[in-house]
Amino acid sequence: MRTLQGRRPVFWVALLLAALWPLLAHAQANAGLERQVKAAYLYKFAGFVEWPEGSFPRADSPVVIGVAGADALADQLEQTVAGHTANGRPLQVKRVKRGDSLAGIHMLFIASQDKSLAQELLAASRGQPVLTVTDADETYGLGSMINFVIADERLRFEVSLKNATASRLKISARMLSAAYRVQQVAG
């Protein structure tokens, strides 16, 4: 009779994967749900923000939502905004990569996976009328205007009015009342 120690490593990997499969499937389902909620929030944010005059070339120009470092979220967001408008403007999703210009982008979601990319994009957007949205505490401190947080096992968001005001963006009181936390303007 063979002992367990004599089995091949492939057997152990297969056994481990079989044991962890329900947890991995649950994590993937949660990630899918989180992605759907983030996409819904991003869509809704567009209707509660006022961009300064000159942010749109024409009256019928779309609100362009950039997504950096999260292709699956960009796919979900494209489905979410398809055929919808915000304040009478169509919505458009654009994938943003390192080195891309932020010209023409009105809202930018930056995923937390690549911190150097987040730093680069937040620095490039500073002072521009681009609503920046992140999902990591450390990027929120680098100038993001909205940051997704998990609170009470729910996806929520916090808002930095200081950062939004510095970029000449106005966030509606209705959106602020739905925020988990609002950082007021300093001074």
Side-chain angles (χ1 to χ4, degrees), residues 125-163:
S125 68
R126 193 165 292 121
Q128 301 299 315
V130 176
L131 181 73
T132 52
V133 183
T134 55
D135 60 0
D137 289 337
E138 55 273 4
T139 53
Y140 186 57
L142 294 173
S144 176
M145 297 166 200
I146 298 176
N147 187 54
F148 288 122
V149 295
I150 302 293
D152 302 323
E153 298 182 26
R154 293 177 49 205
L155 184 67
R156 306 285 307 274
F157 64 95
E158 52 192 0
V159 177
S160 171
L161 284 178
K162 175 184 174 187
N163 295 339

Side-chain angles (χ1 to χ4, degrees), residues 11-94:
F11 170 79
W12 290 110
V13 171
L15 184 63
L16 181 62
L17 284 175
L20 293 177
W21 188 255
L23 295 174
L24 294 172
H26 181 69
Q28 283 184 330
N30 283 345
L33 178 59
E34 183 175 327
R35 198 170 31 252
Q36 289 174 342
V37 174
K38 283 181 181 177
Y41 269 131
L42 292 170
Y43 160 57
K44 289 297 185 183
F45 291 163
F48 291 100
V49 173
E50 186 179 318
W51 282 268
E53 191 173 321
S55 297
F56 297 92
R58 296 182 322 273
D60 62 345
S61 294
V63 175
V64 179
I65 305 170
V67 178
D71 286 338
L73 177 63
D75 292 341
Q76 180 67 53
L77 185 57
E78 285 174 339
Q79 292 174 21
T80 302
V81 304
H84 290 74
T85 62
N87 298 324
R89 294 181 180 281
L91 296 161
Q92 180 182 338
V93 178
K94 179 180 179 184

Side-chain angles (χ1 to χ4, degrees), residues 4-5 12 16-17 29 31 39 46 70 91-92 104 107 117 129 165 169 185:
L4 291 178
Q5 290 178 336
W12 290 110
L16 181 62
L17 284 175
L91 296 161
Q92 180 182 338
M107 184 187 317
L117 176 64
T165 301
L169 298 175
V185 177

